[in-house]
Amino acid sequence: MTTLYLAVPCYNEEEVLQDTTDKLLKKYGQLIGEGRISKKSRIVYIDDGSKDRTWEIISALHDKNPMISGLKMSRNRGHQNTLYGGLMTLKDYADAVISIDADLQDDINAIDEMLTKYEEGCDIVYGVRRKRETDTFFKRFTAESFYKILKAMGGDIIFNHADFRLMSKRALEAFSYFREVNLFLRGMVPMVGFKSDIVEYERFERQAGESKYPLSKMLALAWQGITSLSVKPIRMIMWLGLFIFLMAVLFGIYSIITYFLGSTEPGWASIFISIWALGGLQLFAIGVIGEYLGKIYLETKHRPVYIVEKFVNTEDDSDILTDDEF
């Protein structure tokens, strides 16, 4: 039987942890009862330096039921770093790891089909939203536009997939060779290769607590994804600069011709617009190039993207509750 670990990143999730635990334990009870996963399987909450009682609740849940484990980061590192740290820690304990957010907006019933795909030989199974009816028009438009833009820029990304996925032990071992500091997991995982498939599901509205991805964080993640996976922005600036240079040459030729024809009229508007347009373009280009240089600077430092402070986990399954007790 498969030893399945759930990697559940948490940041200030005290309001949802008990309800989430009840639902996940029920799902695990069903899967164990069907003989699909072993009693050594675990639900692992990964605390990303929460400021509320999240870790205290995780510890209490572990004491009550050893099937609940807890991984505490030394400080807040952000969702992507925390999830990566969890995956790299859990790969040594599980046959497969499924990552899912603590609010359970992703449908946990999709886990059954993910396991089926895994049993059929898939090393990576992506959870893909079937539709975005629960999102506002603005969020739906911006999210779908982001996937399309990133795809157009060469990013190998699964459309409408976030971080709800199954990865086998082999896939996680291969993923551990990725030593990048600037992480965008949903764009990096497809680079691993191996046999993969998708599972479609419906996404629910958040039942409690607040979203940990407001607009500012969504935009930051989008920019991280674009600059981490593609160099096309730099190439676009190069071609744009060449285009403007050619336009300037043509404008110069036009100015010479109109001068000899005696139809020139002095004016400051064209000079003013040209200076500001070129100045703005140069600053923008320098900013984009600086962003890439900054990422290179961070990569050369080889700083750890996560540090685990504590890991509470019981590998022995003798104290695990039976299916009837869930």
Side-chain angles (χ1 to χ4, degrees):
M1 284 189 291
T2 301
T3 299
L4 176 68
Y5 272 52
L6 278 189
V8 189
C10 303
Y11 180 69
N12 295 343
E13 296 287 6
E14 63 178 4
E15 296 181 42
V16 303
L17 276 178
Q18 187 58 61
D19 181 63
T20 295
T21 300
D22 294 340
K23 292 176 180 176
L24 291 178
L25 284 176
K26 185 177 181 181
K27 170 56 66 176
Y28 260 44
Q30 169 213 321
L31 294 172
I32 291 174
E34 294 173 355
R36 302 198 65 184
I37 64 174
S38 72
K39 284 190 175 183
K40 292 184 178 180
S41 301
R42 297 289 181 268
I43 299 165
V44 186
Y45 291 116
I46 311 166
D47 182 24
D48 183 22
S50 297
K51 298 178 182 178
D52 61 2
R53 296 177 56 251
T54 294
W55 180 250
E56 180 182 337
I57 294 173
I58 293 172
S59 299
L61 290 170
H62 171 72
D63 292 338
K64 183 178 180 181
N65 188 346
M67 183 162 280
I68 305 297
S69 298
L71 187 65
K72 181 177 175 61
M73 295 298 163
S74 61
R75 67 178 182 86
N76 178 252
R77 296 305 304 265
H79 180 273
Q80 297 292 280
N81 289 19
T82 296
L83 178 54
Y84 178 78
L87 294 175
M88 292 301 98
T89 301
L90 303 183
K91 67 180 175 60
D92 298 326
Y93 298 86
D95 296 321
V97 178
I98 293 179
S99 55
I100 187 171
D101 289 339
D103 54 21
L104 294 192
Q105 288 185 269
D106 299 316
D107 186 5
I108 60 174
N109 292 315
I111 293 175
D112 300 66
E113 192 174 350
M114 285 183 170
L115 284 170
T116 298
K117 300 284 187 183
Y118 168 74
E119 292 161 358
E120 292 173 352
C122 289
D123 284 287
I124 304 174
V125 184
Y126 302 98
V128 175
R129 294 181 63 174
R130 187 174 288 112
K131 49 190 175 182
R132 287 180 170 270
E133 291 184 351
T134 57
D135 289 348
T136 63
F137 171 78
F138 177 76
K139 185 174 182 179
R140 182 168 60 251
F141 174 76
T142 53
E144 292 182 351
S145 297
F146 163 68
Y147 284 106
K148 293 175 182 177
I149 291 172
L150 193 55
K151 193 78 173 179
M153 287 191 171
D156 186 11
I157 191 169
I158 308 298
F159 188 75
N160 271 343
H161 163 69
D163 287 304
F164 182 31
R165 73 179 72 86
L166 177 148
M167 296 183 71
S168 69
K169 188 182 189 70
R170 182 170 75 144
L172 288 170
E173 290 287 355
F175 196 49
S176 68
Y177 293 115
F178 287 68
R179 302 293 186 181
E180 299 165 40
V181 172
N182 301 282
L183 299 177
F184 183 66
L185 301 185
R186 67 190 70 174
M188 294 167 59
V189 172
M191 297 179 185
V192 173
F194 299 139
K195 184 179 179 181
S196 63
D197 206 339
I198 67 170
V199 168
E200 293 187 336
Y201 68 96
E202 302 291 342
R203 185 172 170 86
F204 308 117
E205 293 185 4
R206 189 180 180 94
Q207 299 300 312
E210 298 180 355
S211 172
K212 303 307 181 293
Y213 265 95
L215 179 61
S216 59
K217 285 191 175 182
M218 288 176 60
L219 292 174
L221 181 64
W223 181 246
Q224 175 84 326
I226 291 171
T227 55
S228 296
L229 298 178
S230 175
V231 296
K232 283 194 175 182
I234 291 180
R235 292 175 182 167
M236 289 169 61
I237 291 172
M238 179 187 70
W239 289 112
L240 180 59
L242 178 61
F243 172 76
I244 292 176
F245 173 75
L246 292 176
M247 290 297 293
V249 171
L250 292 175
F251 183 75
I253 295 172
Y254 170 78
S255 299
I256 293 173
I257 293 174
T258 56
Y259 173 78
F260 284 108
L261 292 176
S263 58
T264 57
E265 294 183 6
W268 294 98
S270 58
I271 297 176
F272 180 83
I273 293 172
S274 298
I275 292 174
W276 279 84
L278 290 174
L281 176 64
Q282 289 172 344
L283 289 174
F284 177 73
I286 291 172
V288 173
I289 295 172
E291 179 74 16
Y292 279 93
L293 289 175
K295 288 181 181 294
I296 294 172
Y297 172 70
L298 291 175
E299 294 288 349
T300 58
K301 287 179 175 293
H302 300 295
R303 290 174 177 169
V305 297
Y306 68 93
I307 298 176
V308 175
E309 178 179 331
K310 188 180 297 185
F311 183 31
V312 291
N313 184 48
T314 303
E315 294 186 68
D316 182 14
D317 63 0
S318 59
D319 296 328
I320 300 301
L321 301 180
T322 64
D323 184 27
D324 295 334
E325 293 173 312
F326 280 113

